[in-house]
């Protein structure tokens, strides 16, 4: 995953771009959680990365998730909370797909 992909999706240092994939994700996530975007979710995670420009060191790569990285820790935590698997549309799978 590159900073460029995150920015193209609409996650930028100045916030989420109107009419972008990011704004669509934020809208869907907010509806699913009763009006708010929760900390640690896909939208918040990607926005943090887009604002900092720090995707290259997070462990989300084009060949998969790097062992021992922040991404692998997120994936493990998410898998534990969902009974052993990472759900489609969850934080890890969404961030990895972008």
């Amino acid at each position: 995953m590159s900073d460029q992909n995150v920015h193209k999706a609409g996650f930028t240092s100045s916030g989420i771009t109107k009419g972008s994939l990011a704004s669509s994700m934020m809208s869907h996530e907010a509806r699913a959680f009763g009006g708010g975007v929760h900390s640690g979710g896909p939208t918040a995670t990607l926005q943090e990365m887009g604002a900092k420009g720090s995707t290259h060191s997070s462990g989300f790569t084009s060949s998969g998730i790097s062992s021992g990285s922040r991404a692998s820790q997120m994936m493990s935590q998410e898998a534990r909370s969902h009974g052993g698997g990472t759900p489609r549309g969850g934080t890890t799978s969404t961030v990895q797909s972008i």
Side-chain angles (χ1 to χ4, degrees):
M1 178 171 65
S2 72
D3 292 335
Q4 183 180 20
N5 289 349
V6 172
H7 290 156
K8 282 182 180 178
F11 298 99
T12 71
S13 59
S14 57
I16 290 177
T17 305
K18 183 179 180 180
S20 65
L21 172 63
S23 67
S24 177
M25 283 178 59
M26 183 174 67
S27 176
H28 287 283
E29 191 174 336
R31 283 194 303 271
F33 290 98
V37 175
H38 69 283
S39 176
T43 302
T45 301
L46 283 162
Q47 181 53 38
E48 177 186 356
M49 290 177 178
K52 292 181 178 180
S54 62
T55 60
H56 64 281
S57 62
S58 63
F60 293 98
T61 71
S62 60
S63 57
I65 292 177
S66 299
S67 177
S69 66
R70 178 175 177 218
S72 68
Q73 292 170 353
M74 288 173 62
M75 184 175 68
S76 292
Q77 181 180 10
E78 192 171 19
R80 281 192 303 274
S81 69
H82 288 91
T86 54
R88 182 177 184 174
T91 303
T92 305
S93 62
T94 301
V95 174
Q96 180 61 30
S97 72
I98 291 177

